[in-house]
Amino acid sequence: MRTSLVISLSIFFWIGLFVLFYLGFDFVVGQVGLPGATYHAQTVKFVFTLFFMSLQIMLIFSSGIILYGGLYASQETNHLLTMPVRDSRLVLYRFQESLFFSSWGFFLLASPMMIAYGIVVAAPWYYYVYLPWLMISFAYIPCVIGAICCLLLISRVPHLRRIVVGIIALVVVAIAYSSIWHTLDINDADLLGAAWFKQTFRRFEFTRGEWLPSTWLSNGLLEAAREQTQDPGDLPWFESGKYLIVLLSNALFLHVILLWVGGRIYRPSYYALNSRQARETHVHMAWIDRLTEKLLFFLPRETQLLIIKDIRLFRRDPVQWSQFIIFFGLLMLYFANIDRFRQHRQDISVLAWVNIVSFLNLAVVGLILSTFTTRFIYPLISLEGRRFWILGRLPIERDSILWGKFLFAACGSWLPCAGLVLASDVMLRVSMQVIIIHQFICLLLCIGLSGMAVGLGAIMPDFREQSPSKIAAGFGGTLNLVLSAIYILLTVLLTALPCHFYFMANESRLQTQMVPPANLQLWLSLGLVGVVILAAVVTIVPLKYGLRAFRKLEV
């Protein structure tokens, strides 16, 4: 059932992306012509190189982070190190796992885009033959680079690995922020005009460097998609094949480098990391723990300590906070630049667009939060694993453990999500009433998603599995992700539609002609009441059954 559910959702998502990309490329080709036209190659190459370079950076980070969890923080790896297995083989085994988990999203996003482009431009048959090999060889390169960086980082600066990863993530976000800000820093009158496109094309020239794998992939696809000219020496399949060879040769070369680096430094770095001198024990609590303790003064003492324990575990796991920084940093980057697209505030169509985008941003924040609650909150009970007997013997009720994890998830997710939604609303300059509604919905989303993840995690724990990614990829995690997505869509729809019509009617002064204001206010009030009821159901029901299953749990 789990496999069928995952496959069905993936197919549904893939078809949706395919339709979206097909319509987009159909529009672009209608404006700039088919392959071979003057502006076609420049326009499509600009889109391809920017898209693939962004994914290239994400693959480097994702591969390195996942490989770190597999090589240095896995009990299975500890066991494999005692076996007669070469270090390079062990690194390769873990790298294959990180390659799969980090690149499946790339194939899910890029494959509908590439196939849609091929259909729109009526690409020849060899375009589809080259396509999978180009994508595989491209994805291999940044994943290997991320793996090598992970090994070198742990080998050279094991005690500074968290600081280095955090600094690199912040630098990447800052560079991306600066680049986009300067790219869009053009007079509103020229926005989306010919001058704006020319300057944007010039400012993103660094993404089209000939030494970048993303450029090799883009050129290979464009060459394979174009038709052969009358010149007998012009062979598109041959030109595309040369880019494929460049990608394959570099991927194989980096593969050899990874095995060589892994064989030389993995085992010493593993021992250095796990046998380094323990830090001096501090008799006082960290400032963030003291602050948390003061903020939670109204809770029982045991619940405070359980929440502080989960916060410490979050701080000590770079896999969690690094992904948190990257995703929420990119969202903040987008929200900080969204006002560049706003102009003509008096136009009713622009006001409608601003209102729709503000609710779409709220939905995006909710969907990102649902992935984090599925990935990190749902496995919390299961990760207690063999240590659960310690908690079971403490003089505390089991309910306190579950309530502690629920409060940790709800309170910990509310602050960054509320900040992101507020940043989006401020940049879009929506009314104060809309800001209050968005903050209220954001709070309900945090409570509902946290209650669902904690409740389902208690109903379906897996104490034998130690990898949070594998726990989240199980049936319970998949079910939690699907239910979370449905909950977010229902919540946003219940409030976005009445809110949109209510404010549009007020702005366009049509309320007395079309719909009475009292009816719109009633519709908006019923939508908010429906959201509250829905949040109560998705919070109380999973927690109720989760508490019942948790009390009867035998370990």
Side-chain angles (χ1 to χ4, degrees):
M1 183 176 178
R2 176 178 67 87
T3 306
S4 302
L5 183 63
V6 172
I7 292 176
S8 302
L9 291 175
S10 299
I11 293 175
F12 177 77
F13 186 70
W14 193 94
I15 293 175
L17 286 177
F18 174 79
V19 173
L20 182 66
F21 285 126
Y22 182 87
L23 295 176
F25 281 122
D26 188 55
F27 172 78
V28 171
V29 170
Q31 300 297 317
V32 300
L34 290 168
T38 306
Y39 297 108
H40 179 93
Q42 292 183 350
T43 306
V44 178
K45 185 177 180 180
F46 171 75
V47 175
F48 280 4
T49 52
L50 191 60
F51 176 74
F52 289 129
M53 185 173 183
S54 303
L55 292 179
Q56 185 175 264
I57 296 173
M58 296 299 294
L59 284 173
I60 291 174
F61 275 97
S62 178
S63 172
I65 292 172
I66 294 176
L67 185 68
Y68 169 79
L71 281 179
Y72 297 97
S74 170
Q75 295 295 329
E76 183 186 1
T77 304
N78 297 344
H79 172 70
L80 292 175
L81 281 170
T82 64
M83 306 293 288
V85 181
R86 283 181 293 173
D87 295 345
S88 57
R89 283 287 177 189
L90 185 54
V91 171
L92 179 61
Y93 165 65
R94 285 304 186 188
F95 170 71
Q96 290 171 345
E97 184 181 68
S98 70
L99 175 67
F100 173 78
F101 283 108
S102 60
S103 61
W104 71 268
F106 163 73
F107 290 101
L108 188 63
L109 286 174
S111 59
M113 177 180 175
M114 297 298 95
I115 294 176
Y117 175 73
I119 294 175
V120 169
V121 301
W125 61 270
Y126 48 81
Y127 172 85
Y128 302 100
V129 175
Y130 280 141
L131 183 58
W133 304 108
L134 285 168
M135 293 176 65
I136 292 172
S137 53
F138 165 77
Y140 205 86
I141 293 175
C143 287
V144 174
I145 293 174
I148 294 174
C149 291
C150 171
L151 289 169
L152 293 176
L153 181 64
I154 302 301
S155 173
R156 300 305 176 193
V157 284
H159 56 290
L160 296 177
R161 63 191 187 282
R162 300 171 187 171
I163 299 175
V164 172
V165 172
I167 291 175
I168 292 175
L170 289 176
V171 168
V172 170
V173 172
I175 292 175
Y177 178 85
S178 176
S179 301
I180 296 178
W181 181 268
H182 287 94
T183 300
L184 302 176
D185 188 16
I186 302 173
N187 192 336
D188 284 348
D190 297 329
L191 193 63
L192 300 179
W196 184 85
F197 277 110
K198 288 181 180 177
Q199 292 191 34
T200 302
F201 186 80
R202 179 174 52 81
R203 288 177 176 176
F204 277 102
E205 190 174 2
F206 67 93
T207 64
R208 299 186 293 278
E210 294 297 331
W211 57 276
L212 291 171
S214 53
T215 304
W216 304 337
L217 175 61
S218 304
N219 290 340
L221 291 170
L222 290 174
E223 289 292 340
R226 70 179 178 89
E227 294 183 356
Q228 185 175 0
T229 62
Q230 299 297 328
D231 184 2
D234 181 25
L235 301 173
W237 64 269
F238 183 69
E239 296 297 328
S240 178
K242 288 195 290 187
Y243 285 108
L244 175 60
I245 292 174
V246 171
L247 283 169
L248 277 174
S249 58
N250 279 273
L252 293 174
F253 174 72
L254 288 172
H255 175 85
V256 174
I257 295 294
L258 173 64
L259 295 183
W260 181 77
V261 172
R264 289 183 63 86
I265 69 173
Y266 169 58
R267 190 175 292 266
S269 65
Y270 177 87
Y271 290 144
L273 179 67
N274 290 282
S275 62
R276 69 186 189 281
Q277 186 176 4
R279 293 181 179 178
E280 183 180 354
T281 303
H282 298 290
V283 294
H284 59 273
M285 300 173 68
W287 66 268
I288 190 170
D289 296 333
R290 294 197 301 273
L291 177 62
T292 305
E293 189 178 25
K294 290 180 180 178
L295 293 175
L296 301 176
F297 67 92
F298 54 91
L299 295 176
R301 179 61 179 166
E302 57 269 19
T303 306
Q304 293 180 19
L305 295 176
L306 288 170
I307 294 176
I308 292 173
K309 175 185 76 72
D310 288 331
I311 292 176
R312 286 182 177 177
L313 291 175
F314 177 79
R315 297 203 310 266
R316 293 171 181 173
D317 188 358
V319 175
Q320 295 191 33
W321 57 257
S322 58
Q323 294 185 44
F324 185 86
I325 290 176
I326 291 173
F327 280 99
F328 278 83
L330 291 175
L331 271 183
M332 181 57 77
L333 170 68
Y334 159 62
F335 292 157
N337 288 280
I338 198 169
D339 72 321
R340 296 286 169 169
F341 295 98
R342 187 192 60 242
Q343 57 179 339
H344 306 304
R345 296 283 302 179
Q346 295 79 16
D347 191 343
I348 187 64
S349 62
V350 175
L351 290 174
W353 174 82
V354 168
N355 194 48
I356 292 172
V357 170
S358 67
F359 275 96
L360 287 177
N361 289 342
L362 177 65
V364 168
V365 172
L367 290 172
I368 293 291
L369 178 60
S370 69
T371 61
F372 277 96
T373 55
T374 302
R375 176 67 176 76
F376 299 120
I377 303 302
Y378 173 79
L380 278 180
I381 297 295
S382 301
L383 289 177
E384 299 292 349
R386 297 174 183 176
R387 300 184 299 273
F388 184 74
W389 65 272
I390 301 176
L391 294 175
R393 290 181 179 275
L394 291 177
I396 57 175
E397 296 182 358
R398 287 193 175 187
D399 290 7
S400 300
I401 300 174
L402 216 60
W403 284 117
K405 296 192 181 303
F406 168 70
L407 292 173
F408 162 72
C411 298
S413 60
W414 172 75
L415 189 60
C417 290
L420 283 173
V421 174
L422 180 62
S424 168
D425 290 343
V426 169
M427 299 307 289
L428 288 171
R429 298 181 187 177
V430 298
S431 65
M432 181 57 67
Q433 195 171 357
V434 175
I435 292 177
I436 294 173
I437 292 174
H438 283 177
Q439 291 297 320
F440 180 65
I441 297 171
C442 180
L443 177 62
L444 294 180
L445 286 177
C446 293
I447 294 174
L449 293 175
S450 301
M452 193 185 303
V454 173
L456 292 177
I459 294 172
M460 294 175 281
D462 184 1
F463 292 123
R464 291 176 298 180
E465 183 57 60
Q466 296 182 350
S467 171
S469 60
K470 293 181 180 177
I471 296 172
F475 174 75
T478 307
L479 180 65
N480 181 73
L481 186 62
V482 174
L483 293 178
S484 298
I486 295 173
Y487 167 57
I488 294 166
L489 293 177
L490 289 177
T491 300
V492 174
L493 285 177
L494 280 173
T495 52
L497 289 178
C499 189
H500 179 75
F501 285 109
Y502 176 75
F503 287 104
M504 288 304 99
N506 286 333
E507 293 291 341
S508 60
R509 305 179 186 280
L510 296 176
Q511 67 271 31
T512 57
Q513 303 174 20
M514 297 178 62
V515 183
N519 290 353
L520 287 173
Q521 290 182 355
L522 177 63
W523 189 13
L524 180 59
S525 301
L526 289 177
L528 292 174
V529 171
V531 168
V532 173
I533 295 174
L534 182 62
V537 171
V538 301
T539 305
I540 294 174
V541 173
L543 279 177
K544 178 183 176 182
Y545 287 98
L547 286 168
R548 185 181 299 174
F550 200 56
R551 294 183 194 121
K552 298 177 181 177
L553 187 65
E554 295 183 2
V555 180

